[in-house]
Amino acid sequence: MDPQFFLTEWKRKYAASSDRNEAIPWFWENFNEDKMSIYQCMYKYNAELWSTYATYGMTCGFFQRVHMIKQTSFACMVILGEKENDKEKNLSLSGFWVFSGKSLPEHLIECNDFELYDWVELDRE
């Protein structure tokens, strides 16, 4: 399947699915590992994250700054942490990205936020 068509269809299935587990099998059945790549990103400075609200805002800003790759990528970012006595702690930020192509897009690498994350290419296994 053409990577561009795959990403468009995947975004539709993911967004329309009330249970993400329904969409995941379609992803793996149609993912073209010869023409696409999957990366995990892990924020390097989790110890400095103090609020889910601020971390969410930072993530939204990152997405805005790399908007030009939205047609050739899909990302899912996750903020994890604990709450104790109304205080958030041990926050961490990471995400998974799917790209058309076998490498990280140039526009992503050129974004200042790129250096705030460690990027690891994942394989299907």
Side-chain angles (χ1 to χ4, degrees), residues 50-60 79 88 91:
W50 55 275
S51 142
T52 54
Y53 180 77
T55 304
Y56 174 75
M58 180 181 71
T59 304
C60 289
I79 303 167
E88 296 173 315
L91 295 179

Side-chain angles (χ1 to χ4, degrees), residues 1 10 23 26 30 48-50 54 69 83 85-86 106 114 117:
M1 180 180 292
W10 166 243
W26 184 94
N30 294 282
E48 298 176 9
L49 301 176
W50 55 275
I69 65 169
K83 192 168 191 174
N85 299 327
D86 291 330
E106 186 176 329
F114 176 80
Y117 298 85

